[in-house]
Amino acid sequence: MIGAGFFLTLNDAVLKWLTGDYPVGQIMFLRGVFVFLPIAFFVWQAGGAKSLRVRRIQPHLLRGALMVAGTFLFINGLRHLPFADAISITFAGPLFVTALAAPLLGEVIRWRRWLAVIIGFIGVLIIIRPTSEVAQWAAIFPLAASVTGALRDILTRKMSQHDSSVAVMFYSTLAVTFAGGMTFLGGWAPVQTSDLGLFLLCGILLGFAHFLMIEAFRLAEAALVVPFKYVSLLWAVLLGLVIWGDIPDGWTFAGAGVVVASGLYILHRERIRKTKT
């Protein structure tokens, strides 16, 4: 999950760069096309087309729909918000995963972890600050993306028990690419030759990130794995500063700190539970 977070943050930085010149649907399509390059490599490593066989197609359709919605929402958030702010708000995702892991996965979530979830959401409110400019309508995009991401992660945990990681990634990528391609009728911008390399980079980064993420959910419970996503905050702050000169204010750091602390406490409680069992 740490590796996935690193690649995802680099991918997000390149995406934010591209949002100034291309509509969201076009970005989803072109990046999706290039994601199939690492997918082809993983398919080859996994033994060919047989690795794409799945037990049931319905969960893959649902995960694809969640990926489409989450990608659209998050890219719009990147377009309108400072990079570190957008990333910080999406850190609500692990909190949603913990909250939903009990009813959807049957995982035991005791009162201490519920308290950590509530405190974490308070941290998200500190970042958004309902009375500040950061809480403009644009903040809704990454927050909603974190909800779809949480549902996707929980579904991934279930699917990865019987379908291969490459199959899960293949069908979700196909859904996002198809959905992005359908926006062609709404008008696309001419693609600059120099930007093709950026789309290629996005595809490779995203492909490796999602493969690592799916493997993480295959190997461990969702509530245990997800808090490691918080490491991405360090990369988000650094990239935002170097590329755009964005310096998060004290409220953003404070809110992100509360969210990260809540996630780490959830991890701590999970380790204690594992030790007792």
Side-chain angles (χ1 to χ4, degrees), residues 95-141:
L95 303 177
F96 284 117
V97 168
T98 301
L100 294 173
L104 297 182
L105 289 179
E107 296 179 10
V108 178
I109 310 296
R110 303 192 184 280
W111 70 269
R112 291 183 179 85
R113 285 200 283 173
W114 281 118
L115 180 61
V117 169
I118 294 172
I119 294 174
F121 283 126
I122 293 175
V124 174
L125 291 178
I126 293 174
I127 298 171
I128 297 176
R129 298 192 298 285
T131 59
S132 73
E133 293 180 358
V134 178
Q136 295 174 355
W137 57 269
I140 296 175
F141 287 124

Side-chain angles (χ1 to χ4, degrees), residues 108-263:
V108 178
I109 310 296
R110 303 192 184 280
W111 70 269
R112 291 183 179 85
R113 285 200 283 173
W114 281 118
L115 180 61
V117 169
I118 294 172
I119 294 174
F121 283 126
I122 293 175
V124 174
L125 291 178
I126 293 174
I127 298 171
I128 297 176
R129 298 192 298 285
T131 59
S132 73
E133 293 180 358
V134 178
Q136 295 174 355
W137 57 269
I140 296 175
F141 287 124
L143 187 60
S146 70
V147 177
T148 61
L151 292 171
R152 177 204 64 204
D153 290 345
I154 290 174
L155 185 60
T156 300
R157 171 67 177 164
K158 284 187 173 183
M159 295 167 60
S160 62
Q161 302 306 306
H162 50 76
D163 292 335
S164 69
S165 296
V166 67
V168 173
M169 185 166 59
F170 174 83
Y171 293 109
S172 296
T173 302
L174 187 63
V176 173
T177 306
F178 177 79
M182 292 296 290
T183 66
F184 175 78
L185 297 177
W188 283 3
V191 180
Q192 302 296 321
T193 304
S194 58
D195 289 338
L196 286 176
L198 295 179
F199 283 111
L200 172 62
L201 179 61
C202 274
I204 294 175
L205 291 172
L206 188 66
F208 278 94
H210 276 279
F211 182 82
L212 292 173
M213 186 182 301
I214 294 168
E215 282 294 295
F217 284 113
R218 182 188 305 281
L219 298 172
E221 290 186 358
L224 175 63
V225 169
V226 170
F228 286 97
K229 285 185 175 182
Y230 294 130
V231 178
S232 302
L233 179 61
L234 300 176
W235 300 113
V237 171
L238 179 61
L239 291 171
L241 176 63
V242 171
I243 300 176
W244 296 280
D246 293 336
I247 302 178
D249 60 20
W251 287 104
T252 300
F253 276 120
V258 171
V259 175
V260 170
S262 300

Side-chain angles (χ1 to χ4, degrees), residues 48-61:
K50 65 181 181 181
S51 64
L52 299 180
R53 296 173 185 168
V54 297
R55 190 192 329 190
R56 293 189 302 127
I57 195 62
Q58 290 86 348
H60 292 272
L61 294 176

